[in-house]
Amino acid sequence: MRDGKPIITVEQVRKSWGAFTALKDVSITFREGEVVCIIGPSGSGKSTLLRTINRLEKQDTGRIVVDGIELDNDLKHIDAVRAEVGMVFQSFNLFSHKTVLDNITLAPRRVRKWSKEKATQVAFELLERVGLSAHAHKYPAQLSGGQQQRVAIARALAMQPKIMLFDEPTSALDPEMVNEVLLVMRDLAKSGMTMLVVTHEMGFAREVADRVIFFDHGNIVEESDNPQQFFSNPSHPRAQAFLSQIKHAS
Amino acid sequence: MLNKLKDRDSLILVGSVFCLALILWLLALPLSWVPAPIGPAAHQFADAAITTIELTIWSGILGILLGVVAAIGKLSPIPPVRWIADLYVWVIRGTPLLLQILFFYGLSNTAPQLQAPEFWIGVIALSLNVGAYNAEVIRAGINAVARGQVEAARSLGLNSMYTFWDVVLPQAVRISLPPLANNLVALLKDSSLAYTIGVVELTMIYTRVQAESFQPVPVSITTGLVYLVLTTTFTQFASALERKLATGKR
Ligand SMILES: Nc1ncnc2c1ncn2[C@@H]1O[C@H](COP(=O)(O)OP(=O)(O)O)[C@@H](O)[C@H]1O
Ligand SMILES: [Mg+2]
């Protein structure tokens, strides 16, 4: 996967809130079909990086190109990038007033202009894939956290994105529900999807990641093409300290 | 369990509409059994109750539309739009409703092109009035919609218009429903002021019957009881609707 062609280019991206700088001139390229796990302490800028890639945050300076589309101030470019990039949030963010099915079909119908029949058919295929076809007509509040997150993944996939962003998708879950979500993500990784995953699930990262990026204070301080080696023997002292903390916690 | 509850609410919803129709249709019957001065005026009371309800429903619907438009105006990024919306709400909420009704009545008499039946002048004044109060309520509801809901919608590629109509507004209305229902019941009572411009609604009948009979106490009690029956039916309808829309709320 490492030799796929570049699909996301981030060049010298900086993002500040007031005097606080969350991203300090970050540059990185992601390749097609690659699964990249992003780890690092809380507040180090991991979410901010993901959120600039689909313009939920606008960078102050620097350039971001996604699948050949430059993320400038052109609303058409922004909408086009968002349609190519799916995002899964820590807190699921399912539309609470819509059923599972309506959550999944809304964007394909509105943005891709699919017929109701086509959108529904695709939704059921995806629900099958995440193991939730029996829950299509329920409301999010009637589902467990793990089920909600699987619906959120199905909802993002319904747009047939080229890239999926995951921002700590299992951090808000009770421990017994983490695996059902990781299982879906593992499947997705095997299917060749380009994935950027902010996570503290070391087992998942070891098994699935092609590359691991370690963030600290708004910088990428370590990057490794060999997750096994990174997790057993990180070179940067901050990464060493962080990993030993995580290992102790779990 | 949940389904049963939902069904009971649907029953109350349909039931209260049905009740309202039945009450309006059959009101004359029980009233005609009451001794004079009520009995002989039974049909006048019944017809006037229908007018009161018509005033309320028309003004209620237009008032919701105005409220949504004014709320969007108040949140608009375009300053002049915001100013107009603010001005509207400020003027309406800062002056007496009676004066507003008299103003539109007076206005319609200034030119033949502006002539309109009293009923519709009443509807215009009442809907502008309730619309201003609804605007505040809906604006607060829009602001109360969780940020993650908007981010999820945008990340799926939905543009700002779809995000507003499909995600924000339905949730804002659900959040605003209890205060909107209060406004509707207040509107039903406020519609009594339309008697001052000659609309033959309940309060007008009160003035007529008591002037003929010189018995203000029994006539006002009867009028009050009819209002109570109507407001109670509205309240029941509103709370059933609220519970029904609450399905799926976290
Ligand atoms: N909207 C915002 N306003 C102000 N500060 C923010 C905002 N979003 C993030 N930050 C700050 O930016 C820093 C990086 O945040 P984030 O990217 O969410 O970190 P991470 O995901 O690595 O925990 C944090 O210190 C956070 O407080
Ligand atoms: Mg984060």
Side-chain angles (χ1 to χ4, degrees), chain A residues 25-42:
Chain A
D25 301 327
V26 170
S27 295
I28 186 162
T29 302
F30 300 101
R31 295 174 177 284
E32 213 161 24
E34 196 179 31
V35 177
V36 181
C37 285
I38 301 170
I39 63 171
S42 172

Side-chain angles (χ1 to χ4, degrees), chain A residues 168-181:
Chain A
E168 302 204 32
T170 57
S171 297
L173 297 177
D174 293 334
E176 72 271 19
M177 294 174 183
V178 168
N179 265 327
E180 61 192 68
V181 172

Side-chain angles (χ1 to χ4, degrees), chain A residues 17 19 23 63 90 95 105 108 163 176 181 190 216 245 247:
Chain A
W17 281 281
L23 291 180
R63 239 179 121 222
Q90 181 175 347
F95 303 132
T105 56
I163 299 154
E176 72 271 19
V181 172
K190 284 192 192 118
D216 193 40
Q245 259 176 16
K247 276 174 198 150

